[in-house]
Amino acid sequence: WYAVTSEPGGALESEGHQRGSVECLSVNAGEFEVEVSGVTQRAKAGETLRYRCDRPHTVRCVGDVSGEASMVCILKAAVME
């Protein structure tokens, strides 16, 4: 679990995690976009994005206001045991 806070334009760039891993980003305030392999998804307050995180991915705060979100990373190794 991660608490994510960002000013508009802020970005978190991550390398890929273990193959088969996924992340969920639940937006509490503002608006975020997630880009994975050239595909971009957007979510505003009250919405959740689910995406593969086993490849490079970027989470950005977009819009005019600061953003707050909760992010859960579910690593493949954690669900195999």
Side-chain angles (χ1 to χ4, degrees):
W1 294 85
Y2 298 91
V4 179
T5 59
S6 180
E7 294 299 315
L12 173 63
E13 297 180 0
S14 297
E15 293 298 317
H17 306 300
Q18 290 97 327
R19 185 174 178 190
S21 299
V22 296
E23 282 181 357
C24 299
L25 182 79
S26 296
V27 180
N28 302 318
E31 186 173 359
F32 285 86
E33 69 178 21
V34 174
E35 182 180 351
V36 181
S37 299
V39 176
T40 302
Q41 302 178 70
R42 280 193 176 214
K44 57 187 176 192
E47 298 177 335
T48 298
L49 296 175
R50 291 171 188 82
Y51 49 93
R52 292 182 67 163
C53 64
D54 59 355
R55 50 193 69 184
H57 52 287
T58 303
V59 177
R60 289 185 199 88
C61 180
V62 295
D64 300 350
V65 299
S66 299
E68 295 180 11
S70 297
M71 181 169 51
V72 177
C73 183
I74 303 170
L75 301 176
K76 177 70 172 183
V79 296
M80 291 177 62
E81 299 288 331

